[in-house]
Amino acid sequence: MSSFEALEQLHHQALAELVDAATTEALKGWEDRYLGRKGQITQQARTVGQMPKEARPAFGRRVNEIKTLLEQAYETRLAEIRNAELQTQMTREAIDVTLPGRPMVPGHLHLTIQALRELYDIWAKMGFEVYEAPDVELEAYNFDLLNIPEYHPARDMWDTFWVKGTNDQQAGDRRLLRTHTSPGQIRVMRERYPEPIRVILPGKCYRYEQITVRAEHQFYQMEGLAVGRAITLTDLIGTVTQFSHLYYGADRQVRVRSSYFPFTEPSVEVDTQCILCGGEGCAVCKYTGWLEIAGAGMVHPVVLENGGYDPDVWSGFAFGFGVERPAMQKYGVEDIRLFYGNDLRFLRQF
Ligand code: PHE
């Protein structure tokens, strides 16, 4: 076979193989085999030097022609393969734009926050503004200044979470998680004196207690404080009655029973007729017909004085409502632990 014939055969063989190359990798192999540095066409071009002189120009020209033709064929095939691969990829990764999207579930306010906001609205109607006091409190504000000195037996009413590392501080300077919202009374008075005061103090309280269906170690309270020049027990009773009418309904009666708190004198407990049975007696009110809704009383003279208000000139009332209990009664929630158990099945219901 002459060199020319061999060259033409190589040409046809290369073209035939090019059609079979179906992937970019196969194509790369083909390029190496024919056009690469050690490729067969390249090698053919190198043989020119060993040929008889008169054969060289024609052979050389033909090799270059074939090389150019194959390079063009290569480019064309490469474009075809790339196109096909892209098509496959597009089919594989196709997005069905008619499919419904994944729903975004909007969150909502926690039941407690909803309950608090409802309470804010009612108290705002009666002229009470919101005042916030800290959760981590000084012992003095939580106890001593509220007329509950160290070793006073009344401290047993509030089992306390103490803040680590503050034990060696002087009594009064030790830190704790407030056991009730009453320490806020001292804070508002010290800040507002000599203005008259009408505020509610909402906030989370903490007690070192056994957790049961009825008791949590964290819960909200809504404190109220009014300080003025001629405030009497009647004002307190009228205010909590009005609140009860707005929150529980005007058909529910309110009663007060005498009670004891170190920071109020006299002290009372406020009951409202059971929201469920209306006073008939049921499981929610333990067949008494009444629900306890708040502790309250006239601000103790010692507390007024600790707040900077002269008890001979000023008087006031204070009350402390639970927040979760009323919500439980309203929605028929039987276990207080559900509030902060983070179970979405519960939380989503409200
Ligand atoms: N702080 C009291 C408690 O936690 C409630 C209370 C508030 C009573 C204000 C009287 C006045 O039990």
Side-chain angles (χ1 to χ4, degrees):
M1 201 196 308
S2 77
S3 310
F4 265 102
E5 277 166 359
L7 182 61
E8 291 308 329
Q9 205 178 348
L10 201 56
H11 181 197
H12 285 113
Q13 184 189 324
L15 285 175
E17 278 181 30
L18 189 59
V19 176
D20 289 341
T23 62
T24 37
E25 292 96 82
L27 202 62
K28 182 82 185 67
W30 180 92
E31 192 192 15
D32 288 345
R33 277 201 308 287
Y34 292 102
L35 300 173
R37 240 170 8 98
K38 292 182 179 156
Q40 297 192 57
I41 299 293
T42 317
Q43 269 162 15
Q44 286 290 325
R46 289 207 189 105
T47 63
V48 176
Q50 293 128 45
M51 287 187 158
K53 242 187 170 161
E54 59 286 2
R56 285 182 199 172
F59 188 81
R61 210 180 306 120
R62 189 56 189 151
V63 171
N64 280 330
E65 267 170 26
I66 290 175
K67 197 172 166 233
T68 311
L69 288 170
L70 288 180
E71 275 166 4
Q72 284 165 357
Y74 167 85
E75 291 300 333
T76 312
R77 187 71 189 129
L78 182 63
E80 276 170 20
I81 290 173
R82 288 229 172 109
N83 209 11
E85 283 178 350
L86 189 63
Q87 288 295 339
T88 325
Q89 188 189 1
M90 275 164 59
T91 318
R92 182 161 24 92
E93 294 173 6
I95 294 167
D96 182 352
V97 292
T98 64
L99 279 177
R102 276 177 217 142
M104 291 264 291
V105 185
H108 67 69
L109 296 176
H110 189 279
L111 174 56
T112 303
I113 302 300
Q114 292 182 42
L116 279 170
R117 292 199 177 173
E118 191 182 347
L119 295 169
Y120 296 165
D121 284 350
I122 293 174
W123 286 110
K125 281 185 194 141
M126 294 196 273
F128 285 77
E129 82 183 279
V130 175
Y131 186 99
E132 295 202 55
D135 287 34
V136 179
E137 192 48 283
L138 287 167
E139 176 184 14
Y141 284 82
N142 196 85
F143 289 127
D144 307 73
L145 295 168
L146 290 174
N147 204 24
I148 321 169
E150 204 177 5
Y151 305 120
H152 190 291
R155 284 209 182 186
D156 290 350
M157 290 165 78
W158 298 280
D159 292 307
T160 308
F161 283 113
W162 293 90
V163 174
K164 247 183 168 174
T166 63
N167 273 2
D168 50 351
Q169 308 221 278
Q170 260 194 321
D173 287 343
R174 291 178 293 208
R175 305 273 149 112
L176 47 76
L177 298 182
R178 65 172 164 208
T179 59
H180 51 172
T181 42
S182 301
Q185 291 186 29
I186 303 288
R187 290 185 177 271
V188 203
M189 285 193 278
R190 290 190 170 180
E191 190 187 297
R192 295 287 166 88
Y193 180 82
E195 302 282 319
I197 295 172
R198 214 188 310 173
V199 294
I200 46 167
L201 306 120
K204 200 176 245 187
C205 303
Y206 308 82
R207 289 190 195 167
Y208 186 48
E209 272 179 33
Q210 182 67 42
I211 297 171
T212 69
V213 285
R214 284 183 55 79
E216 250 287 12
H217 60 216
Q218 50 172 346
F219 55 91
Y220 275 82
Q221 277 191 348
M222 178 81 86
E223 188 94 3
L225 175 70
V227 177
R229 300 229 171 214
I231 293 180
T232 66
L233 186 65
T234 326
D235 296 312
L236 168 61
I237 296 171
T239 305
V240 294
T241 304
Q242 174 67 8
F243 166 79
S244 171
H245 286 171
L246 291 173
Y247 188 68
Y248 292 105
D251 51 341
R252 295 282 179 268
Q253 283 186 23
V254 172
R255 73 175 186 189
V256 292
R257 290 174 289 119
S258 114
S259 184
Y260 171 76
F261 297 103
F263 35 87
T264 45
E265 183 58 35
S267 301
V268 294
E269 231 138 312
V270 185
D271 296 344
T272 188
Q273 273 181 320
C274 180
I275 53 163
L276 223 81
C277 62
E280 298 286 307
C282 70
V284 170
C285 60
K286 296 206 200 105
Y287 302 97
T288 62
W290 297 91
L291 295 172
E292 190 186 308
I293 58 168
M298 299 306 291
V299 182
H300 196 288
V302 167
V303 175
L304 279 174
E305 212 163 281
N306 287 339
Y309 288 76
D310 179 354
D312 288 334
V313 181
W314 300 87
S315 63
F317 65 72
F319 52 77
F321 282 84
V323 175
E324 288 89 352
R325 280 271 160 76
M328 286 170 78
Q329 288 149 3
K330 196 163 165 180
Y331 295 107
V333 178
E334 276 165 3
D335 189 340
I336 198 167
R337 294 170 299 188
L338 288 166
F339 279 79
Y340 308 113
N342 283 339
D343 187 334
L344 288 176
R345 289 170 303 179
F346 171 74
L347 297 174
R348 284 194 176 125
Q349 295 176 59
F350 304 99

